[in-house]
């Protein structure tokens, strides 16, 4: 049924229109309540105490001073905390196991696994008392040797075995031999630091027990992940856990799993018998929530004199923690970007005594595209070729590794549109040749790429006799506009006004929804919503046909139009209100529930023969101060092929946000982990430099708006693609401005000076 | 945050005895002190708020100098017509600092006495002689990209973070203080101390001494400017900054003031460079020689060696711009 109207997306009354976010007024007027804004009678406040060593055993803890603070209810340590059940292991048979953030059984062990691990929780009558008392808890330790320094462990990294569904490895032809015989080659080593998410809303949890029933207010990207993990850790049935998350103040992957703060808020509530709120400080977020792995990459390319690539070698090193995390698919981007007869891709990783790494916007591809897209640019310099021309000379029509034909790929058009709009022909061919006063000016491009995935969802749609529609799905809203676009889709599918539709979300009591990560949510929920709407219309039609004077006698649904809040056959029709009233019904409700085993089987098959991806062309102009090396981005254009655009306003803000995050990745951001202690020493927005407004130029976002033939409504996920290619585009523009190739992010002025 | 008492007196006579006992701190806008209290780095028992003391006036004195009350907000000072006209370097320095919201709160006295941004000073799990005398200095072999290269010692390389102080140093500002022993005047260049073996002692104020005002000598005829080089376009501390005033006659430097930020353990008046420049040719070669001479005293670490080149390049760029812009007018 998803195929019956792929183009319907662009022709709908609401779909394709830049509708303002329906939750905008609630947010701008302060009525939207976030996880730390729910009050309960007798609410207590919790604060965490963090270890100050990376690895070892706690010998003793001093809690008397903390207990003596006015208003302290409890100080929980491994000596007195009630136990949690173990985290378990990642398993393909247990979907909620993907929500395991670390394997540490907090407060049930005296072992310390990273510098900043929570070792105690203080519960008090006020947030301030809890924070102060937490600062008075001290520990003595037996120190063990700790491996915390990524750079010095790179030589010891071990090749990754393939992760199911997650490509990374490839060995096609003989890439090394082809490299050795290519007339033009580049062979570059890149490195990137750890990055952290820095969502505006720090992680917060309000936890309330009622017997063995648990209610949790939590900003999360995965309601069911939190629900499943909490059920497992606290030994209660899943249905006893209700997670509420109507608003999330940004996630970027950092809220895809429940971290220590969530577990410990629930533990503290159980131990004290009171509702507990735990709001992490910014520093607390850095210490307890993983970030994007540091990395190194080698990219070697060999090309003939015509610019055809003969060889692609792309290898990478990332890190996980001894306590968890997953290696990043850094070389995945080289599976899909350029055609070459010989391709060698290999990923390695190491374990460190740091908190687990985790998903951060476009894991793998954000880093991998920096290496690959910088290397292709450098090859263009070596060959004296235009970098867009070199890319187009190697644009594949089928997966370069898989050999499968792309069902949908419009990168050529993205570059053509972009080059025209950006004025690429104004670019001087020589490096350092464009100048504007004290600024050296450079232009750069890079390809954006994000593999599209789709999960599934359950959803109910209810049509009331007053003509209103209620859609219920436990999906997540982090500000992307998820309920807004579903409102648009349902209004079009049922032919009702936007105002008639209400989408309920952010609550595990609702039907199961896909998580908001991997750019899967919108496609996954849309597929279910479309199916449910068809089912609903069928039910309404069946009702209508039972009436003696029905205009639909003998008619089937595909013959009818849905418009003007009713069903029509030609000009003859009936409104939903009339149909329901005539049938004496106050509502009709349908549920769509996917058949999970069938869905999984289909997904496994599709991954093999129907590679899907969003792509794009990133164009930028940078200015580099000729004296000081300061780099500022002065213009940006991203032209994206993200399939059908349901809502240009919310889509653009996703893409623009990704580009801004990419500017930070390229120029200013880096998590500083002390190479001796393993401590993050810049855990604040003052010292971890995300871009400020003055760093961000006008960002022009364009789409091709071509429906993807195999996706619901033709849409491709677009939450992550925006960041991909951005660091390379900037590095390439800096190369053009200065003649310097920076291989190590971020591109701070000392590397350009 | 450790609990504390809070007092907001309305005259200086009451403020000083209240502010003198150990464990007491004066509170200006609180943008630095309250942050440090939240982090547990400062743990005063008593705060004496100085914003009720009527120290928020800016007045021109009969001799043409400008008296700036210690409680004047940074944004007010930056926007003051007399400052914009006669002390452009100061206005620019203030506006390059922090953010609009912070400048609206921050006071002149607080800005003078704000503490370093060395990451190890802020990290309770690290060794820092400034925070905990005798504990060592993790910055020496750690992340020292932001640290100082001038005026450093084996026990501390923390950079002084203020932009305003760099401009005040170039302007020969004088700090007026009042304490239990009466009033006195301290040249800005003598307010801050080098770290030596006691980096925890950062200035020459005595217990209970309150900054009441900063006095700027009459405006220079020379053109002045402030240039700040940093990791992002706004809302970041200086990696290197230059406050300069330059006057040229007949291609000779007839007046020069030069001070550096981001590279010193205190606001760094570049006396050596000034000495070399004064009376010499006003050309790029001379600027570079003077810059190199000033930075010759630098002691660098692995992460901040670039600051020498950066500071030199910035000095040259600033002097070049000032001379191009028609110095002496
Ligand atoms: C995120 C951030 C970014 C910043 N960026 C910059 C920057 O780029 N450049 C820059 O220069 N600064 C920057 N700052 C620092 C800012 O300038 C200082 O915090 C501010 O100037 C301090 O002024 P205050 O009045 O708030 O001082 P407070 O925090 O109130 O006090 C600071 C110190 O001064 C003492 N004190 C205050 N008034 C007096 C007085 N009259 N007499 C004696 N002692 C007194 C206090 O006891 C305390 O020790 C930044 C601050 C923050 C938080």
């Amino acid at each position: 049924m998803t195929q019956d109207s792929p183009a319907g997306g662009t022709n709908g009354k609401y779909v394709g229109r830049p509708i303002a976010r329906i939750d905008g007024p609630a947010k701008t007027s302060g009525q939207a309540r976030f996880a730390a804004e729910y009050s309960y009678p007798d609410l207590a406040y919790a604060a965490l105490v963090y270890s100050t060593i990376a690895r070892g055993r706690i010998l003793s803890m001093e809690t008397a001073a903390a207990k003596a603070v006015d208003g302290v209810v409890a100080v929980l340590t491994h000596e007195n905390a009630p136990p949690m059940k173990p985290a378990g292991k990642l398993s393909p048979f247990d979907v909620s196991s993907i929500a395991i953030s670390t394997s540490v059984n907090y407060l049930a062990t005296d072992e310390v696994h990273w510098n900043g691990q929570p070792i105690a929780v203080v519960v008090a009558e006020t947030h301030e008392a809890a924070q102060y008392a937490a600062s008075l808890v001290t520990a003595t330790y037996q120190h063990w040797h700790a491996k915390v320094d990524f750079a010095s462990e790179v030589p010891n990294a071990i090749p990754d075995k393939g992760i199911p569904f997650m490509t990374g490895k490839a060995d096609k032809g003989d890439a090394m031999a082809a490299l050795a015989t290519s007339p033009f080659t580049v062979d570059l080593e890149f490195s990137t630091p750890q990055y952290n998410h820095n969502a505006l809303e720090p992680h917060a949890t309000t936890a309330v027990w009622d017997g063995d029933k648990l209610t949790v207010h939590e900003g999360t990207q995965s309601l069911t992940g939190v629900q499943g993990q909490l059920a497992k850790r606290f030994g209660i049935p899943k249905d006893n856990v209700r997670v509420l998350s109507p608003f999330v103040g940004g996630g970027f992957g950092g809220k895809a799993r429940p971290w220590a703060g969530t577990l410990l808020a629930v533990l503290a509530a159980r131990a004290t018998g009171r509702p507990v709120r735990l709001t992490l400080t910014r520093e607390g977020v850095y210490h307890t929530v993983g970030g994007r792995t540091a990395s190194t990459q080698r990219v070697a390319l060999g090309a003939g004199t015509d610019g055809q690539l003969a060889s692609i070698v792309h290898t990478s090193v990332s890190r996980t923690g001894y306590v968890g995390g997953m290696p990043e698919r850094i070389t995945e981007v080289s599976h899909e970007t350029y055609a070459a007869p010989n391709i060698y891709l290999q990923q390695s990783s190491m374990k460190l005594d740091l908190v687990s790494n985790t998903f951060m916007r476009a894991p793998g591809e954000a880093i991998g595209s920096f290496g690959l897209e910088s290397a292709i640019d450098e090859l263009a310099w070596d060959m004296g070729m235009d970098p867009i021309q070199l890319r187009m000379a190697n644009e594949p029509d089928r997966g370069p590794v898989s050999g499968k034909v792309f069902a949908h790929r419009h990168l050529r058009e993205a570059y053509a549109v972009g080059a025209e709009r950006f004025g690429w022909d104004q670019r001087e061919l020589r490096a350092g040749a464009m100048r504007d006063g004290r600024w050296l000016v450079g232009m750069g491009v890079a390809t954006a790429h994000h593999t599209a995935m789709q999960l599934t969802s359950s959803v109910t749609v209810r049509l009331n006799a007053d003509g209103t529609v209620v859609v219920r799905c436990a999906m997540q809203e982090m500000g992307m506009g998820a309920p807004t676009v579903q409102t648009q889709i349902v209004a079009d599918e049922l032919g009702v006004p936007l105002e008639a539709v209400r989408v309920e979300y952010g609550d595990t009591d609702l039907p199961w929804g896909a998580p908001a990560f991997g750019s899967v949510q919108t496609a996954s929920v849309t597929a279910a919503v479309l199916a449910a709407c068809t089912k609903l219309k069928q039910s309404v039609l069946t009702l209508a046909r039972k009436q003696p004077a029905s205009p639909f006698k003998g008619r089937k649904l595909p013959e009818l139009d849905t418009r003007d809040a009713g069903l029509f056959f030609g000009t003859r029709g009936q409104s939903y209100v009339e149909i329901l009233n005539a049938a004496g019904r106050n509502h009709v409700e349908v549920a769509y529930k996917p058949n999970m085993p069938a869905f999984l089987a289909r997904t496994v098959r599709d991954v093999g023969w129907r590679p899907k991806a969003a792509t794009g062309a990133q164009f930028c102009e940078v200015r580099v101060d000729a004296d000081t090396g300061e780099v500022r981005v002065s213009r940006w254009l991203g032209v994206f092929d993200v399939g059908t655009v349901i809502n240009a306003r919310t889509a653009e803000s996703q893409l623009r946000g990704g580009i801004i995050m990419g500017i930070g990745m390229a120029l200013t951001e880096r998590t500083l982990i002390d190479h001796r202690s393993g401590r993050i020493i810049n855990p604040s927005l003052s010292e971890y430099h995300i871009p400020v407004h003055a760093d961000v130029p006008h960002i022009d976002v364009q789409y091709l708006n071509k429906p993807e033939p195999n996706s619901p409504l033709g849409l491709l996920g677009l939450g992550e693609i925006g960041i991909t290619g951005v660091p390379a585009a900037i590095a390439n523009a800096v190369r053009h401005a200065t003649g310097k190739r920076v291989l190590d992010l971020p591109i701070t002025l000392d590397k350009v000076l | 945050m450790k609990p504390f008492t809070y007092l907001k007196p309305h005259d200086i006579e009451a403020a000083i005895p209240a502010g003198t006992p150990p464990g007491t701190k004066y509170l200006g806008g609180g943008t630095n002190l309250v942050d440090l209290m939240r982090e547990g780095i400062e743990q005063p028992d008593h705060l004496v708020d100085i914003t009720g003391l009527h120290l928020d006036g800016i007045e021109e004195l009969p001799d043409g100098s400008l008296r700036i009350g210690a409680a004047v907000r940074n944004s007010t000072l930056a926007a003051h017509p007399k400052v914009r006209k006669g002390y452009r370097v100061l206005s620019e320095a203030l506006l390059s600092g922090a953010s609009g919201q912070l400048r609206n709160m921050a006071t002149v006295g607080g800005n003078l006495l704000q503490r370093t941004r060395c990451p190890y000073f802020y990290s309770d799990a690290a060794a820092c002689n400034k925070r905990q005398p005798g504990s060592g200095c993790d910055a020496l072999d750690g992340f020292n990209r932001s640290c100082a290269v001038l005026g450093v010692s084996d026990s501390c390389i923390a950079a002084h973070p203020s932009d305003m102080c760099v401009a005040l140093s170039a302007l020969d500002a004088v700090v007026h203080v009042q304490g239990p022993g009466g009033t006195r005047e301290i040249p800005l260049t003598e307010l801050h101390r080098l770290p030596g073996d006691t980096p925890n002692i950062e200035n020459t104020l005595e217990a209970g001494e309150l900054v009441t005002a900063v006095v700027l000598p009459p405006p220079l005829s020379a053109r002045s400017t402030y240039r700040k080089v940093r990791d992002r376009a706004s809302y970041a501390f200086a990696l290197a900054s230059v406050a300069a005033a330059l006057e040229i006659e007949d291609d000779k430097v007839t007046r020069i003031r030069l001070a550096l930020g981001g590279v010193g353990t205190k606001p760094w008046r570049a006396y050596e460079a000034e000495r070399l420049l004064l009376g010499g040719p006003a050309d790029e070669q001379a600027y570079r020689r003077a810059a190199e001479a000033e930075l010759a005293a630098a002691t660098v670490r692995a992460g901040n060696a670039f600051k020498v080149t950066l500071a030199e390049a910035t000095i040259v760029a600033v002097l070049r711009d000032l001379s191009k812009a028609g110095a002496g007018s």
Side-chain angles (χ1 to χ4, degrees):
Chain A
M1 70 94 9
T2 61
Q3 274 86 350
D4 63 7
S5 62
T10 40
N11 299 332
K13 186 164 174 219
Y14 297 111
V15 168
R17 273 181 46 196
I19 306 289
R21 283 178 175 73
I22 51 177
D23 53 349
K27 282 181 176 162
T28 48
S29 62
Q31 290 176 48
R33 280 202 288 165
F34 291 79
E37 298 179 311
Y38 287 86
S39 217
Y40 283 87
D42 214 24
L43 181 68
Y45 299 80
L48 300 181
V49 178
Y50 308 101
S51 77
T52 54
I53 67 162
R55 189 82 179 103
R57 206 172 268 291
I58 300 168
L59 296 177
S60 68
M61 288 193 70
E62 189 46 69
T63 59
K67 284 185 185 136
V69 169
D70 235 13
V72 167
V73 175
V75 180
L76 303 169
T77 69
H78 65 281
E79 285 161 352
N80 64 352
M84 268 187 293
K85 299 231 167 356
K89 284 213 159 40
L90 183 65
S91 152
F93 304 106
D94 174 7
V95 186
S96 81
S97 71
I98 197 170
I100 298 167
S101 57
T102 80
S103 60
V104 178
N105 216 350
Y106 302 103
L107 305 198
T109 170
D110 59 359
E111 225 176 301
V112 173
H113 300 273
W114 78 87
N115 199 328
Q117 174 187 320
I119 55 169
V121 182
V122 178
V123 184
E125 299 295 345
T126 64
H127 176 71
E128 290 73 18
Q131 288 287 336
Y132 174 51
S135 76
L136 300 178
V137 176
T138 57
T140 59
Y141 303 95
Q142 182 184 61
H143 292 250
W144 296 347
H145 175 72
K147 281 201 284 181
V148 297
D149 186 33
F150 179 80
S152 59
E153 293 297 330
V154 165
N156 305 326
I158 297 166
D160 291 332
K161 294 192 215 78
I163 314 164
F165 300 119
M166 302 196 172
T167 49
K169 240 167 111 163
D171 195 356
K172 174 178 135 182
D174 189 341
M176 301 305 168
L179 195 62
T181 55
S182 291
F184 289 99
T185 57
V186 292
D187 195 342
L188 301 169
E189 294 276 347
F190 300 90
S191 55
T192 63
Q194 174 162 325
Y195 297 102
N196 281 66
H197 311 80
N198 288 298
L200 188 56
E201 174 202 31
H203 295 56
T205 308
T206 305
V208 189
W209 285 95
D210 177 9
D212 67 348
K213 290 209 158 67
L214 172 65
T215 303
V216 170
H217 301 270
E218 164 97 356
T220 180
Q221 298 174 239
S222 174
L223 289 157
T224 47
V226 174
Q227 180 190 41
Q229 267 298 296
L230 290 177
K232 182 182 278 176
R233 302 303 287 267
F234 292 92
I236 51 175
K238 209 166 62 116
D239 291 341
N240 282 15
V241 182
R242 184 174 185 196
V243 181
L244 291 150
S245 192
F247 298 104
V248 185
F252 313 114
K255 290 176 185 159
R257 295 167 162 146
W259 295 86
T262 311
L263 300 173
L264 290 172
V266 174
L267 184 81
R270 178 173 257 190
T272 58
R274 293 177 59 171
V276 166
R277 175 189 300 167
L278 196 163
T279 309
L280 292 184
T281 59
R282 184 63 61 183
E283 180 182 4
V285 178
Y286 274 88
H287 288 329
T288 62
V289 177
R292 192 195 295 280
T293 173
S295 78
T296 61
Q297 305 175 64
R298 174 189 176 207
V299 184
L301 303 174
T305 46
D306 55 356
Q308 295 289 318
L309 287 176
S311 176
I312 299 174
V313 176
H314 193 170
T315 63
S316 69
V317 178
S318 68
R319 70 97 179 161
T320 63
Y322 280 102
V323 294
M326 273 202 266
E328 281 220 15
R329 300 169 288 146
I330 294 171
T331 64
E332 188 195 352
V333 63
S334 291
H335 273 254
E336 303 289 340
T337 310
Y338 298 112
N342 304 289
I343 299 179
Y344 178 79
L345 312 176
Q346 173 66 59
Q347 303 178 146
S348 301
S349 68
M350 67 180 82
K351 290 191 166 96
L352 293 178
D353 293 302
L354 300 175
V355 65
S356 322
N357 71 316
T358 195
F359 318 119
M360 184 166 164
R361 211 171 202 160
E365 288 167 305
I367 301 176
S369 64
F370 168 59
L372 180 65
E373 289 298 290
S374 295
I376 195 89
D377 190 77
E378 197 53 33
L379 182 63
W381 282 105
D382 280 7
M383 303 188 64
M385 222 171 143
D386 177 273
I388 297 179
Q389 204 188 335
L390 178 61
R391 284 179 172 83
M392 293 305 101
N394 293 285
E395 173 64 8
D397 52 13
R398 53 184 65 224
V401 174
S402 66
K404 312 286 184 203
V405 175
F406 294 131
H408 176 94
R409 176 136 167 155
H410 301 288
L411 193 57
R412 282 183 194 283
E413 190 176 338
Y415 270 107
V417 169
E420 165 80 24
R421 196 174 168 88
F422 199 69
W424 185 251
D425 57 353
Q426 307 289 303
R427 179 178 180 266
E428 276 280 349
L429 292 183
R430 285 170 307 122
M434 293 169 71
R435 183 129 191 183
D436 178 10
R438 65 186 242 223
W439 301 101
L440 301 165
V441 180
M443 290 161 80
V445 292
T447 295
H449 182 277
H450 191 261
T451 300
M453 291 183 292
Q454 190 185 320
L455 298 175
T456 177
S457 288
S458 298
V459 59
T460 63
V461 180
R462 176 188 172 119
L463 174 64
N464 291 316
D466 63 1
T468 59
V469 177
V470 181
V471 181
R472 308 176 86 225
C473 176
M475 61 175 181
Q476 295 75 194
E477 165 64 321
M478 309 184 272
M480 318 81 82
T484 306
V485 302
Q486 294 306 334
T487 303
Q488 291 172 256
I489 292 168
V490 170
D492 272 0
E493 284 301 309
L494 300 181
V496 298
L498 205 61
E499 301 72 40
V501 181
R502 189 175 83 237
V503 177
E504 294 181 358
Y505 59 95
D507 178 351
T508 50
D509 275 2
L510 298 170
W512 183 84
F517 51 70
S519 299
V520 303
Q521 180 171 269
T522 298
S524 309
V525 174
T526 299
V529 158
L530 295 175
C533 286
T534 303
K535 230 170 140 178
L536 178 74
K537 288 185 280 189
Q538 188 60 60
S539 302
V540 172
L541 177 60
T542 308
L543 266 189
R545 278 193 311 232
K546 285 190 187 141
Q547 294 300 317
S550 173
F552 307 127
K553 284 268 186 264
R555 298 290 162 212
K556 294 211 161 54
L557 190 56
E559 301 170 73
L560 303 185
D561 292 334
T562 33
R563 61 178 158 87
D564 300 330
L567 297 176
F568 287 83
F569 178 69
T571 51
R572 297 191 54 214
Q574 258 188 320
S575 74
Y576 296 133
V577 173
E578 284 166 359
I579 297 170
L580 265 63
N581 284 335
R585 300 282 291 267
N586 72 357
H587 73 273
V588 178
E589 180 168 281
V590 298
Y592 172 80
K593 251 198 177 127
N595 172 340
M596 267 320 240
F599 173 81
L600 286 175
R602 209 170 48 238
T603 304
V604 171
R605 186 197 64 194
D606 289 2
V607 165
W609 66 265
R610 224 161 51 180
K612 279 201 266 187
T615 57
Q618 308 269 22
F619 288 77
C620 77
E621 180 190 85
V622 302
R623 271 140 208 267
V624 182
D625 187 288
D627 292 304
T628 63
E630 291 157 286
V631 180
R632 305 283 182 252
V633 178
S634 47
R635 278 202 302 144
W636 202 280
L637 166 66
V639 183
F640 296 98
D641 171 23
V642 288
T644 308
V645 174
I646 308 284
N647 181 331
R649 188 189 299 235
T650 56
E652 269 176 41
S653 103
Q654 280 301 298
L655 294 164
R656 192 171 285 132
I659 290 166
I660 294 170
M661 213 163 175
I663 292 175
M665 187 178 171
L667 295 180
T668 55
E669 294 183 36
R670 107 175 98 178
T671 305
L672 302 178
I673 301 172
D674 186 88
H675 68 278
R676 300 154 296 191
S677 67
R679 186 82 163 180
I680 294 176
I681 61 153
N682 61 339
S684 77
L685 292 179
S686 154
E687 301 304 317
Y688 181 101
H689 289 158
I690 58 172
V692 297
H693 280 98
D695 292 303
V696 181
H698 173 70
I699 294 174
D700 184 7
V701 171
Q702 298 291 321
Y703 326 93
L704 303 182
N705 212 3
K706 298 193 169 187
E708 207 285 347
N710 301 310
S711 301
L713 289 185
L715 67 88
L716 288 162
L718 52 71
E720 297 173 276
I721 183 172
I723 193 174
T724 65
V726 172
I730 292 175
N732 297 344
V734 169
R735 170 72 174 78
H736 182 227
T738 65
K740 286 201 175 114
R741 168 64 59 192
V742 180
L743 303 167
D744 173 36
L745 296 184
I747 307 172
T748 47
L749 58 88
D750 44 303
K751 297 171 191 169
V752 184
L753 194 60
Chain B
M1 193 190 294
K2 186 176 145 191
F4 56 90
T5 68
Y6 171 84
L7 183 75
K8 188 170 180 180
H10 293 287
D11 55 70
I12 295 184
E13 285 61 41
I16 290 172
T20 305
T24 308
K25 294 228 96 179
Y26 292 120
L27 177 71
T31 61
N32 189 221
L33 182 54
V34 175
D35 262 11
L36 292 169
M37 288 166 66
R38 280 210 195 95
E39 303 279 340
I41 297 162
E42 296 265 25
Q43 303 200 347
D45 298 311
H46 311 285
L47 289 186
V48 177
D49 189 334
I50 62 101
T51 59
L53 301 179
H54 314 291
L55 297 175
D56 45 8
I58 301 177
E59 54 172 329
E60 194 174 332
L61 301 179
D63 68 347
S65 52
L66 195 69
R67 185 189 161 90
I68 303 158
V72 170
R73 307 288 173 172
N74 286 185
S75 46
T76 309
L77 183 58
H80 195 273
K82 290 224 155 29
V83 176
R84 289 175 53 180
K85 185 148 180 290
Y87 309 95
R88 185 170 151 173
V89 61
L90 177 59
S91 185
E92 288 180 0
L94 284 162
L95 291 177
S96 76
S99 65
Q101 295 93 326
L102 285 160
R103 293 194 296 270
N104 287 342
M105 287 301 290
T107 62
V108 167
N111 196 323
L112 289 176
L113 299 175
Q114 65 169 298
R115 307 197 69 188
T116 185
R117 295 282 160 166
C118 176
Y120 294 96
F121 176 67
Y122 272 83
S123 179
D124 57 353
C128 173
N129 289 321
K130 197 186 262 303
R131 183 166 31 80
Q132 215 176 350
S135 62
C137 173
D138 272 349
L140 291 176
D141 296 313
F143 288 105
N144 43 38
R145 184 166 179 276
S146 67
C147 292
V149 296
L150 293 169
V152 299
S153 73
D154 288 344
S155 43
C156 185
I157 57 172
H160 195 274
S162 171
D163 292 300
M164 181 190 80
C165 290
V166 182
L168 291 182
S169 166
L171 290 170
D172 278 340
V174 176
V175 179
H176 289 228
V177 306
Q178 187 173 338
T183 62
R184 62 187 182 114
E185 297 173 12
I186 311 169
L188 188 279
T189 49
E190 288 165 30
L191 178 69
H192 301 99
R193 291 167 41 119
L194 293 177
D197 295 335
T198 53
N200 52 312
I201 307 173
E202 295 176 344
N203 57 59
T204 52
L205 295 183
E206 306 282 343
E209 274 189 327
L210 174 75
V211 176
T212 53
V214 171
V215 175
L216 305 179
L220 296 168
S221 49
R223 264 186 84 90
S224 69
T225 192
Y226 187 76
R227 171 88 181 266
K228 177 173 177 180
V229 181
R230 48 185 150 175
D231 275 333
R232 58 182 170 189
S234 164
Y235 203 51
F237 289 89
L239 290 168
S241 71
V242 174
L246 176 68
E247 202 166 77
I248 299 170
E249 262 168 54
D250 301 332
D251 297 330
K252 292 253 179 299
V253 174
T254 52
R255 190 160 279 161
I256 175 73
R257 296 285 182 78
L258 197 62
L260 308 178
V263 290
T265 52
K266 58 180 268 187
W268 199 261
R269 179 72 178 266
Y271 289 117
E272 178 64 11
E274 287 184 4
R275 194 180 62 76
L276 284 171
L277 285 166
L278 190 65
D283 61 31
E284 185 140 347
Q285 239 181 351
Y287 300 157
R288 183 159 299 283
R289 261 202 314 274
E292 284 170 5
E294 188 64 45
L295 272 299
T299 306
V300 303
R301 316 292 307 183
N304 66 6
F306 77 96
K307 281 194 171 183
V308 172
T309 322
L310 180 65
E312 289 170 1
T314 312
I315 292 171
V316 173
V318 165
L319 295 179
R320 186 205 301 134
D321 284 354
L322 278 177
S323 30
K324 267 204 233 135
S329 62

